[in-house]
Amino acid sequence: MRPVNEKLRVDLLEAGKREFMESGFRGASLKSIAASLGVTTGAIYRYYTDKEALFDGLVREPAQELVERYRTLQQTFAGRSLEEQLQKLPEVPDKEASWMMNFLYDHFDAFKLIACCSSGTKYEHYLDTLAEIEDHSGRLLVDRMVEAGYPIRRLDDELIHIMSTALFNGMFETIRHDMPREKAMVYMDDLRNFYSAGWFRLLGIPFE
């Protein structure tokens, strides 16, 4: 077995990132990536079985971490009493948005690839995964409020899904448009304020 050439592996990732950014996953070529480094495609196959494996190597770790952390945060929130959830509800979205936006920008290139260049890969519907976590959390809270006798409007699953999907698409717009981190954080504060007030209005809960 040949020893790993760490420099070549890093160079392949950088060259692959440039190629995917310029051409998208579908238009990217391992031959082009190899040519940019002055190596053969065989050199790439020593490290990555195909271009999807190379793409995966660029985004897998931050993509998985974001999903796992977000799921854990929602599970922790769901484990609280209903009274505590309702008391904390106006501030939870702001805390979520803050760490998520900073995480996105700490791994900007990986999430730019997912947002703009992942068509044809398993990450093509990555935002749907995040939205499904939000969907589940929203449904649980609405169900608990109904069971507890709160006089709220019962939102259907389709509306909850539309709202969750729109939220994450809005969040990733900052990445798609290469907004500076500072501007993105302000944008996200405004977006979250809009959504927080909107959820309360839809549920019929007084909101100040």
Side-chain angles (χ1 to χ4, degrees):
M1 183 175 180
R2 298 189 180 192
V4 173
N5 183 332
E6 184 62 20
K7 182 179 184 306
L8 178 56
R9 189 188 68 81
V10 171
D11 288 346
L12 285 172
L13 287 171
E14 285 298 316
K17 180 171 66 177
R18 289 193 299 271
E19 177 76 4
F20 292 131
M21 288 287 193
E22 292 173 3
S23 304
F25 175 77
R26 293 186 187 278
S29 163
L30 289 182
K31 184 177 180 180
S32 177
I33 294 170
S36 72
L37 296 174
V39 300
T40 66
T41 53
I44 298 178
Y45 292 133
R46 294 173 195 162
Y47 302 90
Y48 303 100
T49 55
D50 52 30
K51 69 177 181 178
E52 183 156 13
L54 178 55
F55 190 94
D56 185 66
L58 286 161
V59 306
R60 180 181 63 256
E61 290 186 9
Q64 289 180 348
E65 183 174 350
L66 180 63
V67 168
E68 290 167 4
R69 287 181 62 180
Y70 188 58
R71 182 177 287 115
T72 298
L73 186 152
Q74 292 292 0
Q75 290 171 344
T76 299
F77 182 70
R80 297 173 177 172
S81 68
L82 179 58
E83 290 73 19
E84 187 178 5
Q85 286 184 11
L86 294 176
Q87 182 181 10
K88 297 288 186 180
L89 191 58
E91 63 188 61
V92 169
D94 295 331
K95 291 181 179 179
E96 290 176 6
S98 179
W99 78 256
M100 288 187 76
M101 289 304 298
N102 277 311
F103 189 83
L104 291 177
Y105 273 76
D106 288 344
H107 305 277
F108 188 92
D109 287 347
F111 289 109
K112 176 80 171 183
L113 287 169
I114 290 173
C116 301
C117 311
S118 63
S119 178
T121 76
K122 64 182 180 182
Y123 298 97
E124 183 173 359
H125 302 293
Y126 179 77
L127 269 64
D128 291 339
T129 300
L130 295 171
E132 285 168 6
I133 297 171
E134 180 84 3
D135 286 353
H136 182 66
S137 179
R139 291 189 190 104
L140 283 178
L141 180 57
V142 170
D143 288 345
R144 292 186 70 181
M145 292 178 71
V146 170
E147 290 171 4
Y150 281 83
I152 64 170
R153 175 188 174 191
R154 184 64 182 263
L155 305 181
D156 62 35
D157 289 349
E158 288 79 7
L159 179 57
I160 292 174
H161 179 69
I162 288 170
M163 295 290 287
S164 299
T165 301
L167 171 64
F168 282 103
N169 272 290
M171 183 179 293
F172 272 73
E173 280 294 285
T174 64
I175 301 293
R176 295 187 182 103
H177 292 285
D178 297 316
M179 285 187 188
R181 185 191 294 250
E182 295 76 13
K183 183 177 180 180
M185 296 300 289
V186 173
Y187 169 91
M188 199 60 229
D189 283 343
D190 289 340
L191 186 63
R192 266 307 199 177
N193 285 333
F194 173 82
Y195 268 88
S196 294
W199 277 115
F200 275 74
R201 179 64 180 269
L202 288 172
L203 290 169
I205 302 173
F207 179 77
E208 296 181 1

